[in-house]
Amino acid sequence: MKYSVNEACIGCGLCADTCPEIFFMNDEGKAEAMDEDVREDLLDSAAEAQDNCPAEAIAEA
Ligand code: SF4
């Protein structure tokens, strides 16, 4: 399972703080998700990042 970040991202950085293995901030200050399946041991923190995104900009891809 992968995640993606859509254009609703407001660049708060919370997801990258919560699960930096999957989410990172790009040069434009918006979040992106790694284009790779989420490792088993990262599922909880990736889901937490999705749940806590204030813009609801993170979706399962
Ligand atoms: S938590 Fe949501 S709004 Fe904040 S940087 Fe991540 S995707 Fe963007």
Side-chain angles (χ1 to χ4, degrees):
M1 191 254 289
K2 299 179 183 178
Y3 283 97
S4 64
V5 179
N6 65 36
E7 64 281 351
C9 173
I10 58 171
C12 73
L14 186 61
C15 57
D17 285 343
T18 304
C19 187
E21 295 89 348
I22 299 298
F23 300 101
F24 61 97
M25 306 308 290
N26 65 23
D27 291 343
E28 296 172 349
K30 299 295 179 74
E32 292 184 37
M34 300 287 188
D35 185 22
E36 61 188 41
D37 282 323
V38 179
R39 289 195 333 243
E40 188 90 18
D41 59 314
L42 297 175
L43 287 174
D44 285 351
S45 62
E48 182 183 345
Q50 180 188 27
D51 288 345
N52 291 335
C53 172
E56 298 186 359
I58 299 173
E60 292 175 19

